[in-house]
Amino acid sequence: MSHDNGKVQAEALFASGQLYKDIGEIIYDRRTALDWTQVHLAKLARLNVSVIRSIEAGRPVSLETLSALLRVFEIDPRDILPQGAPEGTWFAHLDLVASATQLKKTMKQCSDYNLAIQKLRDIIGNISKTFNLPEIPARLPIDHYSHSVAFTSGERQDLLEIFGRRIQIFRTLQGATASQIAHKSHVSLTSLSLIEAGLRNPSLETVYRIAEGLSVSVYYLIPGIHDDADLLRSLDMTAWAMSAQSQLEALADLESIIGHLDDIANH
């Protein structure tokens, strides 16, 4: 993937506006083939009818709107969207199956896991009280998995949240910061941060820019019936393990500090 003259390939893909026109024609053909009115399609997709008119007229479409229409028609994104960035295979070296198997074995061996976690929480709590640190809002691990990272057919999910999490996954697997990916994608850091948090509905062009910045195909980022759920869950688990590794390094620093303070107290 090249960035000639500092530009991303997505600019050329969307320059003429033909891609949006092609999408509009496909939506129109699917709708009329089913003998649906624009009003009926709008109700099924939970969109305003003016949005349907705009899309069929070939105007720009956002990720959330396009995903809603793909869900209604049960269209595979690969059937209507060009690939854009090369098919991302840079993560193929990860032995995901072996990692998952080893994780299960390790967890069974850690009978004192819950006790260790509670002790760690007590230590952090005591430090926070001693230095009057602001309380960190409690978050249950299950909150992260309240929505699957993979698309579930028939359900209207928080597609923006899923999309944002996928960006985080591929960014973490590369060991890249949000700032680095924002620079490669030619989007602002603020925009990327909001998108990762599921708080901004990006245009389709922005989706392609981010995919190019991550060196993965848009098909890995856009939720749909084409999703490989097992692969996505494995990548998610691997990314979280990498994030946890950086936290372990912080705990190692904390252990060193506590040891130093203990030496001072005993002398």
Side-chain angles (χ1 to χ4, degrees), residues 166-203:
R166 292 187 186 188
I167 295 173
Q168 290 178 326
I169 289 170
F170 287 111
R171 178 170 65 76
T172 301
L173 291 175
Q174 294 183 57
T177 65
S179 179
Q180 289 171 329
I181 296 303
H183 177 72
K184 290 182 179 180
S185 304
H186 288 227
V187 300
S188 71
L189 177 58
T190 299
S191 293
L192 183 64
S193 298
L194 290 172
I195 291 170
E196 281 196 2
L199 299 176
R200 175 165 292 183
N201 183 15
S203 67

Side-chain angles (χ1 to χ4, degrees), residues 99-115:
S99 297
T101 301
Q102 185 59 43
L103 176 63
K104 291 178 181 178
K105 291 181 179 178
T106 303
M107 291 301 292
K108 288 181 180 179
Q109 296 170 355
C110 295
S111 58
D112 295 332
Y113 171 76
N114 288 330
L115 179 60

